[in-house]
Amino acid sequence: MRHAPRNAPLALALLLACGAAARAPAQTATRAARGAKPARESQAPAGRRRAPDATGGKAEGRAPGGEAASRASADKAREARARAERSARKAVAVLLEVAGEAASLEDAFQRARVLTLCAGALWGADERAARSVFGRAWEAAVESDEAEFKDEKEQGRYGDLPERFTRARELALASAARLDARMSEAWLGALAEWVAREAGGAREEAAPPAAGPAGGGPDIGPLNEFTREGQRLALAGSLLEGGSYEDAARVAAPALQGGVSGAFIEFLLRLREGSPAEADRLYLRLLASTRARPDASANDVLLLSSYALTPRLLAVVGADGSVQFRALGDAARETPAGAAATAAAEARSVFYDTAASVLLLRPAQDAAPGREPHAVYFAIGRLLPFFEREAPRHAHALQARMIELAARLGLERRVALDSKMRTHSLSPENPVDPLRRLLDAAADLKDSSLRDGVRLRAVEAAAARRLWERARSLAEEVEDSEARQGARATVDAYKVAWVRETFEGDDDDFERAAALAREADVPAALRAYGLAQAAQMAARRGLRQPAAALLGEAFGQASQAEAPTYARDAALLLTATYAARLEWPRAWEALAAAVAALNQDEEFDGEPLHFDAEERADYGRGVAGALGEALRHFDLAGAFDAAARRDFDRAVAEARNLKSAPARALALVAAARVGLEKAGRAPAQLRPGR
C-alpha cells in the first residue's frame, strides 16, 4: 500500500480553506440581492462566538480582552518577582552587614545570638556565607558559656554543674540542627565532651542514681545532661519548645541506640503533644530495636508501656522487688481515659506484640537485671488488663506465664507487687483545690500583715486561673485597706490580661473588651493592651473604622505609660506590631514612637522584658504578673517583622535608628528574614499570635 505524502493533510486543508473563501463573497452577494440581513450573533449556536475577523472581532471561546488581561497578569507577576528578588538582595546585604558588625558587641552572649540569627536567616540565600557565620557564632557561644562558668566557679553556687552553663551553645545548636545534621552533631559532641570534662565524673561517682529504685534497676529520672545522650535530648527538647517537631525527632533519633530510658519516653510524650505522627514513628523504631535486642527486659516493657497506656506515669522494678514510680507532666492535666488509644492506635498494637515477645521469653539466666521473676510477674500483672481488652491474642499465654512465675515467688512478695499493679496515676482521685495550701497557710498566721501577704498571693493565684469570683471574695478578706486596694487592682489587671480569651467570639466582643480596658484600675500599658485586643476583634469583623479608633486609643495609652520602663517599651512595641498588622494609617508613626521609647531606655538591649524584675516602677506583685501575661508575646523582632511585611525598606530604615547595637542588630535581622521569606529564600518563621 502506497503512503500518502507527509504534506497531504496540509494541502487538503488549504484546498478547503480556498473553497470556503470563494463561496463567502457569493453568499454575501446573494443575501444582499434578496435584501436579507446578515445573521446576528444571537443566532449562533449556544456557547459559541464568531471566529475572529480582520478587524479584531471576538475570538471564538475567549472572553473580550482575555489576551490583554493575561499579559497584564503575567507582567504583574514578573514585577512582583523582580521586587522580591531586589528585596532578597538587600536582605542578604543587611545580614552580612549585621554579621560583620557583630564583632563590636562586647557581650559574648549577645554576639553569639546575633550571629546565630544571621546565619540561620542567610542559609536559604547564601549557604556558604551562612556556614562561615555559624562558625563565628559557635566560637562566640563557647566563649560566652565558658566565661559564665568560670565566674560561677569563682564566686557562685553552681561551679560543679557545668550543664547549667550551655545556653549560648544550645541556642546555636538549635538553629544548626534545623539546617545541617552533620554540623550540629559535631557541636553536640563537643558540648557533651566539655560538660563531662568539667564535671570530672566526681558527682556521678559520689551520687547514687537520681530516681532509680532503691534495689537497683534502670534510672527513670529526668535526663542526665552530663552525657552526650542527655545533651542530645536537651537539644531536642529545645526544638520542641520552638515548634520544630520534625527537627526535634531527627535530633533525638540517635538516642535510640542507648535503649529504652525514662528520659527518652518522656521526650516522646512531649513530642506527641505537638506532633503525634512524628512521635509514633520514633516510638515504632524504638519498639523494633527493643524486640531485636537479646537483653530486652521487663523494665523495658514497663517503660515502653507508658507511651501507649499510662502517659503520665513511669514505673520500673528493682532487683530487690521494690517498685518505683515517677509522675510526668502536670498532674492537673491528667490525660483522660481513652486519649492514649486515640493518639496511638497502631503504635499500641505493635507495642502489645513487642511486649508479649519479651515477657514470654524464658532466658537461660533469669537473674539478669529486669528479667528476675518478680519483675516479669509485675509487668505481666500490670499490663494484663490492657492485653485482655485490646490484644486478647496474647492474653492466654501471658496468664499462663504469670501463674508459672507466681509459683516461684513467696506470698508476701506477691501481695506487695499485686498492691501496686493497678497504680496508673499518682494524682489524687478527687481534684485538689489549687488555693488550699495558701488559704491554710493564711489561717495559721496570727500576724495580720503576714496573713494579708499570703492572701494577696492567693488572690493572684485565683486571678491567674480566671477564678474571678474567688479572686474578688479573697481580695475583700484582706484586712489592710491599702493592701486590699492592691488586691482589687490585681484582679482588674488579670481581667484585662485575659480580655481576648474572655470576650472573643461574643456578638459584642470588641465593645465589651474596650469597656473593660477603659474602666479597669490598671496601668496605662495594660489599658493599651486591652484596647489593642479590642481593635483586633473589631478588625476581624471587618469594622475598619472602629478598629482604627481603638488602636488610636491604645497608642495614646501606651504613650502615657511611665518612662523609661519595660512596661512602656512593651506597650509601644505592642501597638507598633498591631498597627502594621491591621494596616493602621499611622503605623509608621507608631513604630517611630516605639524606637524613640527604646532609645530613651538605657537598659533595653533587645533581651526579653521581665516585669517582675522591674526596679524603676512599683507595679505591685499581682500587676507585674498580669503585665507579663499580657505583653510577653510582643518584642522587638515581632514589631519589625510586622513592619517589614508592609514595607521592607522603611522597616530597615527605622531599625537603623535604634541606639542599642544589640537591639539594632536584632531588628535588622527580623526585617531581613521577611525580605528573604517573601522571595522564597528563607523558611517561614512563627510570629506572635496574640
Side-chain angles (χ1 to χ4, degrees), residues 172-191:
L173 268 169
S175 181
R178 297 184 179 97
L179 303 167
D180 188 305
R182 182 177 297 180
M183 180 168 59
S184 62
E185 282 294 321
W187 291 351
L188 182 62
L191 177 59

Side-chain angles (χ1 to χ4, degrees), residues 13-83:
L14 289 172
L15 180 60
L16 292 173
C18 290
R23 285 195 302 273
Q27 290 172 351
T28 303
T30 303
R31 280 198 301 267
R34 294 176 181 174
K37 297 180 181 178
R40 290 176 297 189
E41 189 75 39
S42 60
Q43 294 172 331
R48 288 192 61 183
R49 298 192 179 108
R50 285 179 180 269
D53 57 24
T55 60
K58 296 178 181 178
E60 182 175 355
R62 184 176 295 167
E67 292 184 4
S70 179
R71 284 196 299 271
S73 177
D75 289 343
K76 286 182 179 179
R78 279 194 296 272
E79 290 174 9
R81 286 195 297 270
R83 284 197 302 272

Side-chain angles (χ1 to χ4, degrees), residues 19 68 107 134 174 198 293 304 327 333 345 371 390 426 439 484 509 543 546 631 662 666 668:
D107 185 275
F134 257 131
E198 293 298 336
R293 278 176 36 222
L304 288 166
R333 295 193 306 116
R371 292 189 175 189
E390 298 183 38
L426 299 184
L439 297 179
R484 191 183 315 122
D509 54 3
L543 304 174
L631 298 176
L666 295 174
L668 287 169

Side-chain angles (χ1 to χ4, degrees), residues 145-164:
D145 288 345
E146 292 189 349
E148 288 185 6
F149 181 56
K150 180 180 179 181
D151 290 344
E152 191 70 18
K153 283 200 297 185
E154 293 175 354
Q155 53 189 355
R157 296 179 298 166
Y158 302 109
D160 60 338
L161 300 174
E163 73 272 19
R164 294 177 65 96

Side-chain angles (χ1 to χ4, degrees), residues 155-525:
Q155 53 189 355
R157 296 179 298 166
Y158 302 109
D160 60 338
L161 300 174
E163 73 272 19
R164 294 177 65 96
F165 302 91
T166 60
R167 65 169 184 151
R169 280 170 290 184
E170 286 179 0
L171 186 69
L173 268 169
S175 181
R178 297 184 179 97
L179 303 167
D180 188 305
R182 182 177 297 180
M183 180 168 59
S184 62
E185 282 294 321
W187 291 351
L188 182 62
L191 177 59
E193 290 172 7
W194 178 83
V195 170
R197 183 171 64 252
E198 293 298 336
R203 197 176 74 165
E204 286 183 291
E205 294 172 5
D219 179 6
I220 61 171
L223 60 87
N224 178 5
E225 294 190 36
F226 280 100
T227 66
R228 178 165 182 158
E229 297 313 316
Q231 289 288 341
R232 178 183 300 285
L233 290 178
L235 171 59
S238 69
L239 292 169
L240 276 185
E241 292 172 2
S244 300
Y245 304 118
E246 187 175 341
D247 293 324
R250 177 174 52 76
V251 168
L256 289 167
Q257 299 172 5
V260 188
S261 69
F264 194 80
I265 296 297
E266 185 174 15
F267 166 78
L268 284 178
L269 289 166
R270 289 178 59 200
L271 176 61
R272 194 173 76 185
E273 291 179 1
S275 179
E278 286 293 339
D280 283 358
R281 275 195 288 271
L282 211 51
Y283 180 64
L284 289 170
R285 289 178 58 187
L286 182 59
L287 289 173
S289 66
T290 301
R291 192 167 184 171
R293 278 176 36 222
D295 61 342
S297 70
N299 277 326
D300 291 333
V301 171
L302 287 169
L303 290 174
L304 288 166
S305 73
S306 294
Y307 180 87
L309 308 178
T310 57
R312 295 293 172 195
L313 192 67
L314 296 175
V316 290
V317 184
D320 61 354
S322 61
V323 180
Q324 180 77 13
F325 296 103
R326 180 164 78 89
L328 299 177
D330 183 358
R333 295 193 306 116
E334 193 69 40
T335 301
T342 302
E346 179 187 357
R348 285 162 73 94
S349 177
V350 178
F351 162 74
Y352 286 123
D353 292 340
T354 301
S357 70
V358 174
L359 295 175
L360 293 174
L361 194 66
R362 288 175 170 78
Q365 292 282 343
D366 62 9
R371 292 189 175 189
E372 305 92 343
H374 58 260
V376 180
Y377 174 83
F378 176 83
I380 293 176
R382 180 172 174 78
L383 300 178
L384 192 56
F386 295 99
F387 274 98
E388 292 172 340
R389 185 168 60 248
E390 298 183 38
R393 60 189 180 276
H394 300 300
H396 180 73
L398 288 169
Q399 288 171 341
R401 177 69 170 145
M402 187 176 180
I403 292 171
E404 174 191 331
L405 292 166
R408 300 169 59 184
L409 300 175
L411 177 62
E412 184 177 349
R413 173 165 286 190
R414 287 204 314 271
V415 170
L417 293 171
D418 290 346
S419 67
K420 296 181 179 180
M421 285 179 181
R422 301 296 180 265
T423 301
H424 296 147
S425 170
L426 299 184
S427 301
E429 294 184 5
N430 298 317
V432 177
D433 182 354
L435 308 179
R436 176 52 51 196
R437 184 176 58 83
L438 290 170
L439 297 179
D440 290 345
D444 293 339
L445 293 170
K446 296 181 179 179
D447 184 280
S448 63
S449 62
L450 294 176
R451 195 160 54 242
D452 280 350
V454 176
R455 281 177 177 156
L456 283 170
R457 290 166 58 194
V459 168
E460 182 178 10
R465 291 173 170 81
R466 289 184 276 177
L467 304 173
W468 305 123
E469 292 301 324
R470 293 197 70 185
R472 284 289 186 194
S473 63
L474 287 170
E476 297 308 315
E477 292 178 14
V478 176
E479 298 169 46
D480 179 75
S481 59
E482 186 175 344
R484 191 183 315 122
Q485 186 60 35
R488 292 169 180 164
T490 294
V491 178
D492 280 355
Y494 271 97
K495 277 197 168 185
V496 175
W498 288 104
V499 67
R500 186 189 70 178
E501 292 78 359
T502 302
F503 295 126
E504 190 171 49
D506 293 351
D507 291 340
D508 54 352
D509 54 3
F510 75 93
E511 294 169 331
R512 296 178 68 187
L516 174 62
R518 294 182 188 117
E519 296 166 6
D521 179 18
V522 295

